[in-house]
Amino acid sequence: MRGLDRILELQDLDTAIDRLEHRREQLEAGEELSSLRKEMEEADARLGELRLASDAISSESTRLEHEIASMSDKLHAEEKRMYDGSIANAKELEALQHEIASLKERRSRVEDDLLEQMVRKEDLEARAAQAQTEAETARARVEEVGGDTVRELDQISTDLAAKRSERGSLVPAFDEELLELYDDLREQKHGVGAAAIVDGVCQACHEKLSAVELERLKRTEGVKRCEYCRRIVVLA
């Protein structure tokens, strides 16, 4: 039957065309780019949250610094009043000493709070720096893949046109009946209508044919079919 000797060549072309079309569908669906954009948005969101937290700590630290400065000024004034001789009353002096002690205690607590805020800010700034690096990397990857996608789609269009032209030139070499059988099998068998038999194994279904079956195929005139998957086979 005309074309049997070139059926695997046709199959190779159709397999290449199928792969190119599948890749084009993936790119046009934007699955890879969509995934990268999502990663970029998540990285930006993490960076934004860390910056907001850092700003909040900066505001709280400024408030605490002002509070410490205010208490220090008041403590300085009270200590000066205690030693300048303006207080002669023992009870008033005792109250002033109590107030000074209380101010020192409160200032110490606020200083501890400020130190804790500074430690938290240092940690947040380190995390924000890491998050910024991740966000910049993700953004660069989106821009890279976006450009790569356009270039790859252009290349796929060129390759598809070439493969289809090659297929169109090859099709007249086949009997119409053989081509119809091949196309039907491709539709039924996930795009593979013909395969080689190598070392007794069908390269489509990967089943090993018996010696008897191989001998029968050798003697068969016309189209040979795998006894397992029923695809058109060619003995290598």
Side-chain angles (χ1 to χ4, degrees), residues 37-50:
R37 282 199 180 106
K38 184 178 179 182
E39 290 178 14
M40 180 187 72
E41 289 166 1
E42 290 173 350
D44 284 339
R46 285 194 298 272
L47 178 59
E49 289 171 1
L50 289 168

Side-chain angles (χ1 to χ4, degrees), residues 84-119:
D84 65 6
S86 62
I87 299 177
N89 186 294
K91 189 172 183 180
E92 187 178 350
L93 181 61
E94 183 180 351
L96 182 58
Q97 289 172 333
H98 180 74
E99 175 65 15
I100 288 172
S102 177
L103 277 170
K104 287 181 177 180
E105 184 179 346
R106 284 162 50 201
R107 185 178 66 176
S108 179
R109 287 199 300 270
V110 175
E111 287 173 340
D112 288 342
D113 289 344
L114 178 59
L115 181 61
E116 182 179 339
Q117 294 297 324
M118 291 171 65
V119 171

Side-chain angles (χ1 to χ4, degrees), residues 23-52:
R23 179 57 179 163
R24 183 175 63 182
E25 288 172 4
Q26 284 183 318
L27 292 173
E28 289 176 343
E31 293 175 4
E32 183 179 4
L33 192 56
S34 176
S35 175
L36 288 170
R37 282 199 180 106
K38 184 178 179 182
E39 290 178 14
M40 180 187 72
E41 289 166 1
E42 290 173 350
D44 284 339
R46 285 194 298 272
L47 178 59
E49 289 171 1
L50 289 168
R51 283 176 172 169
L52 284 174

Side-chain angles (χ1 to χ4, degrees), residues 7 11 178-195 223-226 229-233:
I7 195 70
Q11 178 64 68
L178 174 60
L179 195 59
E180 185 177 346
L181 173 62
Y182 167 76
D183 286 337
D184 286 345
L185 287 169
R186 263 180 40 83
E187 187 175 348
Q188 298 169 25
K189 306 288 186 179
H190 308 290
V192 181
V223 179
K224 299 174 174 59
R225 307 278 293 274
C226 173
C229 65
R230 302 304 297 157
R231 291 178 173 91
I232 299 168
V233 291

